[in-house]
Amino acid sequence: MSPVTQVPAERPPVALAPTQPITLHINGQDHFLTIAPWTTLLDALREYLALTGTKQGCDHGQCGACTVLVDGKRINSCLSLAVMQEGADIQTIEGLGTEENLHPLQQAFIDHDAFQCGYCTPGQICSAQGLINEGKAKTEDEVRELMSGNICRCGAYSNILTAIMEVLGNKEDGAEVSNAPMPKQEWSAGAARAEMGPVEPAK
Amino acid sequence: MNSFTFTQAPAVDAAVQESVAHDGAAYIGGGTNLIDLMKENVARPTHLIGLKKLGLDAIETLPDGGLRLGALATNADTAWHPEVEKRYPLLSQAILAGASPQLRNMATDGGNLMQRTRCYYFYDLATPCNKREPGSGCSAIGGYNRIHAILGTSEQCIATHPSDMCVALAALEATVRVSGPHGERTIPFEDFHRLPGTTPHLDNTLMPGELITGLDLPAQGFEKHFSYLKLRDRTSYAFALVSVAAALELDGNTITAARLALGGVAHKPWRDQAAEALLVGQPATVDTFRRAAAKVVEGAQGYGSNDFKIELARRAIVRALKQAAEMNQELDSNAFLNSNP
């Protein structure tokens, strides 16, 4: 045996990471994983399930790039452990639309050029969907305040605001809503794709 | 992050038993602060006890007319609960002044009380900090201390409690309900958080293994005259440099009841009952408010970079009391930009 592979007798064996089996319900599908408890929901999505649409930015809950919807509510997936999300209904950007059938927010972001590098965009869109689900923001000022958990270092804020206001069905001058917010169930978190509102592909 | 094990506790008793059975165990509610501290290796729990299955997320009216907030109710669900919005708008406003929508959707009401200071030296393992490592020294005293405390400090620690919600809870005289190895008890809000003294590593008066199960609000909600004024480096998603929760009851122009609590200035939400006493029975005028403000900052001490907070706090108190009395403020913290104190 080569000396290189000899392990000194006094060194304790390295303990295996304690893993546990969990089931995550993501975008309408169950995923079975055996992971260490310190795995964040963000890492579970990206590293174990290849759902890389959700981005890692600051990893400390400050930038919002990792925003996903859990039971219809937006959260920072970097500050939640995957083991804490068993039984929850998780929706990521991959569950919000398809290339053929874009989600209204995705279409609005394209129409209004609401990004440059695009890294924060999945988080912005998931956050905007969470904002719509909450039904609290109606004016431009309210949307700005309730989108403050999403940082865009390219500074595309004004176009992001315009895109969200369009989907909210508001006037761009920030006037109070003239019509009721779009029905939540059309594209609320966890809805099967077929249940999403009819959206014409961009052409 | 260090290695740890995780259990989802099925009930409060089981959670407490888990905590007693594991050295270095910690409860985890929303996890928004604890997981961040674990990523920085400031917190190194050996065992996490999940609380999600305990229920405890209800918000319900009490027989005495008060309101009980379950410890696991999220900050967002609390701020936007119809009863809170209607009867305790001060609490609603304070919660919405803090963090981001994503964080408020995860963070729990019990966890909000348990969050730790955002002192940069507490977070930085390379620097001494008596709160993180008792006896190692305080890097903020004599260091960069722009965000630090001006009231109730000690030679060992000048950290602040970062919560907005807790400032409103202090003003509203909430009661903290806890369960522990020796049963249940209640803690008046004023007695929950501690001043640093010679034990800055202790943030609060919870005993080992004790778990917050709920918060009780008394019936008096000060919904007619209140203000939560938060001053910070940007007008959204930043911690307070100084914040003021002001609540009044008026008979004509005479103040019949007053509550005054400050955030961003001390190791705990800083309620000043002596200043409140100066308000009661007096006309709701700027002169009255100035006397109360002077009382609050009477013993304030700056540490260099945070000297400005003394004058800022004095003016913010006057402004918040004026807003509470007149109730003509825009219900956001931008209002202070538009006029002078």
Side-chain angles (χ1 to χ4, degrees), chain A residues 16-18 20 37-40 56 59-64 67 70-71 73-81 83-88 123 127 134 136 144-151, chain B residues 1-8 28-33 35-36 38-40 48 50 52-53 74 77 80 85 96-97 99-106 123 232 234-237 332 334:
Chain A
L16 286 174
Q20 58 193 86
W38 59 76
T39 312
T40 61
Q56 183 181 59
D59 210 30
H60 290 280
Q62 296 174 7
C63 75
T67 302
V70 171
D71 297 328
K73 295 178 176 178
R74 46 182 165 160
I75 70 161
N76 302 111
S77 62
C78 75
L79 285 186
S80 189
L81 301 173
V83 292
M84 293 164 67
Q85 298 301 343
E86 279 213 279
S127 189
E134 288 156 11
K136 295 289 178 182
R144 277 194 199 96
E145 167 60 29
L146 288 181
M147 286 299 291
S148 67
N150 292 80
I151 310 290
Chain B
M1 242 186 271
N2 63 301
S3 177
F4 62 88
T5 49
F6 177 88
T7 307
Q8 198 71 260
I28 185 160
T32 52
N33 186 215
I35 293 172
D36 195 32
M38 288 163 67
K39 287 184 177 187
E40 300 283 2
L48 284 188
K52 200 176 173 180
K53 291 189 177 155
T74 66
D77 286 347
W80 285 331
E85 283 184 324
L96 293 175
S100 69
Q102 288 96 318
L103 292 167
R104 295 194 294 265
N105 277 339
M106 309 163 77
Y123 263 78
R232 42 187 162 170
R234 56 177 186 236
T235 54
S236 185
Y237 199 11
D332 67 25
N334 295 331

Side-chain angles (χ1 to χ4, degrees), chain B residues 21-334:
Chain B
H22 291 83
D23 270 349
Y27 299 119
I28 185 160
T32 52
N33 186 215
L34 180 58
I35 293 172
D36 195 32
L37 290 166
M38 288 163 67
K39 287 184 177 187
E40 300 283 2
N41 279 319
V42 175
R44 287 184 289 263
T46 57
H47 184 61
L48 284 188
I49 303 161
L51 306 176
K52 200 176 173 180
K53 291 189 177 155
L54 302 189
L56 295 181
D57 56 355
I59 294 177
E60 49 201 4
T61 306
L62 295 168
D64 68 356
L67 196 69
R68 177 165 299 167
L69 313 174
L72 273 293
T74 66
N75 289 179
D77 286 347
T78 305
W80 285 331
H81 191 278
E83 283 293 300
V84 178
E85 283 184 324
K86 189 174 114 201
R87 297 177 51 207
Y88 306 95
L90 172 64
L91 178 61
S92 186
Q93 212 175 324
I95 294 172
L96 293 175
S100 69
Q102 288 96 318
L103 292 167
R104 295 194 294 265
N105 277 339
M106 309 163 77
T108 63
D109 290 352
N112 191 291
L113 274 62
M114 299 300 293
Q115 65 177 309
R116 309 212 67 193
T117 184
R118 298 317 198 274
C119 169
Y120 2 85
Y121 302 107
F122 174 69
Y123 263 78
D124 181 358
L125 295 187
T127 60
C129 168
N130 287 324
K131 182 178 280 297
R132 179 169 28 78
E133 202 181 326
S136 63
C138 174
S139 303
I141 298 175
Y144 188 67
N145 48 40
R146 185 166 182 275
I147 65 170
H148 288 76
I150 52 170
L151 288 162
T153 54
S154 78
E155 288 176 2
Q156 296 198 15
C157 182
I158 59 170
T160 57
H161 193 264
S163 172
D164 291 297
M165 179 183 187
C166 287
V167 182
L169 290 172
L172 292 168
E173 281 190 354
T175 303
V176 186
R177 301 170 58 81
V178 305
S179 275
H182 306 295
E184 298 180 355
R185 67 181 179 120
T186 57
I187 307 171
F189 202 82
E190 185 110 38
D191 299 335
F192 184 84
H193 293 103
R194 309 166 66 116
L195 289 178
T198 55
T199 53
H201 59 293
L202 300 176
D203 290 349
N204 57 57
T205 53
L206 283 181
M207 304 298 286
E210 280 188 328
L211 171 69
I212 300 173
T213 56
L215 300 164
D216 285 356
L217 299 173
Q220 193 177 22
F222 294 92
E223 72 281 4
K224 290 200 179 73
H225 294 283
F226 66 93
S227 173
Y228 188 73
L229 176 63
K230 180 174 180 179
L231 307 181
R232 42 187 162 170
D233 284 330
R234 56 177 186 236
T235 54
S236 185
Y237 199 11
F239 289 100
L241 291 167
V242 170
S243 71
V244 182
L248 299 172
E249 281 195 6
L250 297 177
D251 181 6
N253 196 40
T254 304
I255 299 167
T256 56
R259 299 285 172 75
L260 190 56
L262 274 72
V265 296
H267 197 260
K268 61 185 288 187
W270 188 264
R271 183 178 168 199
D272 192 325
Q273 297 197 49
E276 290 171 5
L278 289 180
L279 293 166
V280 176
Q282 301 299 310
T285 62
V286 168
D287 279 349
T288 304
F289 302 152
R290 282 186 180 141
R291 278 194 293 275
K295 182 74 185 168
V296 173
V297 300
E298 211 171 58
Q301 183 191 349
Y303 288 84
S305 336
N306 69 348
D307 292 349
F308 73 97
K309 279 194 180 186
I310 300 173
E311 181 62 12
L312 188 65
R314 196 189 62 72
R315 292 186 187 210
I317 292 165
V318 175
R319 169 66 51 77
L321 285 166
K322 196 162 175 283
Q323 288 180 338
E326 296 171 358
M327 285 308 284
N328 63 355
Q329 81 260 30
E330 293 174 47
L331 289 183
D332 67 25
S333 53
N334 295 331

